[in-house]
Amino acid sequence: IIITVKCIVSYFRPKENMIVDALICAIYNDGLLVNAYDRQKILVPFKTYEEGDILGMKVGDTISVKITAVRYIDHKFSCLGVIV
């Protein structure tokens, strides 16, 4: 028996200084939580932007984020970023 399997694989491996378009998931007092490519959540701390930078933004909006820190622990990536 011969079985031929075809598949398409897409992956996202975050790296420092990478710029991605991300969807705003939540807005907290401590910062924004955004989702890149439906795969990776990125925290944008409040101290990295001015309040006016996010004025009028709401959950569901798309913004550009530069990844500033990446950590890999227990087979998962954690990312911090800034608004570009």
Side-chain angles (χ1 to χ4, degrees):
I1 298 176
I2 298 175
I3 299 174
T4 302
V5 178
K6 291 183 181 182
C7 67
I8 298 173
V9 177
S10 68
Y11 69 94
F12 174 67
R13 182 172 181 207
K15 295 180 183 176
E16 288 184 24
N17 298 319
M18 179 184 276
I19 296 176
V20 296
D21 289 331
L23 191 71
I24 298 175
C25 299
I27 301 173
Y28 300 110
N29 290 336
D30 295 333
L32 299 173
L33 185 65
V34 298
N35 189 355
Y37 303 113
D38 286 333
R39 300 201 187 298
Q40 181 66 51
K41 301 270 194 295
I42 303 169
L43 178 64
V44 181
F46 178 70
K47 64 181 178 182
T48 63
Y49 59 86
E50 300 292 325
E51 182 111 12
D53 292 344
I54 65 163
L55 195 62
M57 288 187 188
K58 60 187 181 304
V59 173
D61 286 351
T62 301
I63 61 171
S64 291
V65 175
K66 179 179 179 180
I67 298 173
T68 57
V70 177
R71 188 168 76 174
Y72 184 75
I73 294 178
D74 198 25
H75 304 288
K76 293 182 183 177
F77 286 100
S78 296
C79 299
L80 291 176
V82 296
I83 297 174
V84 177

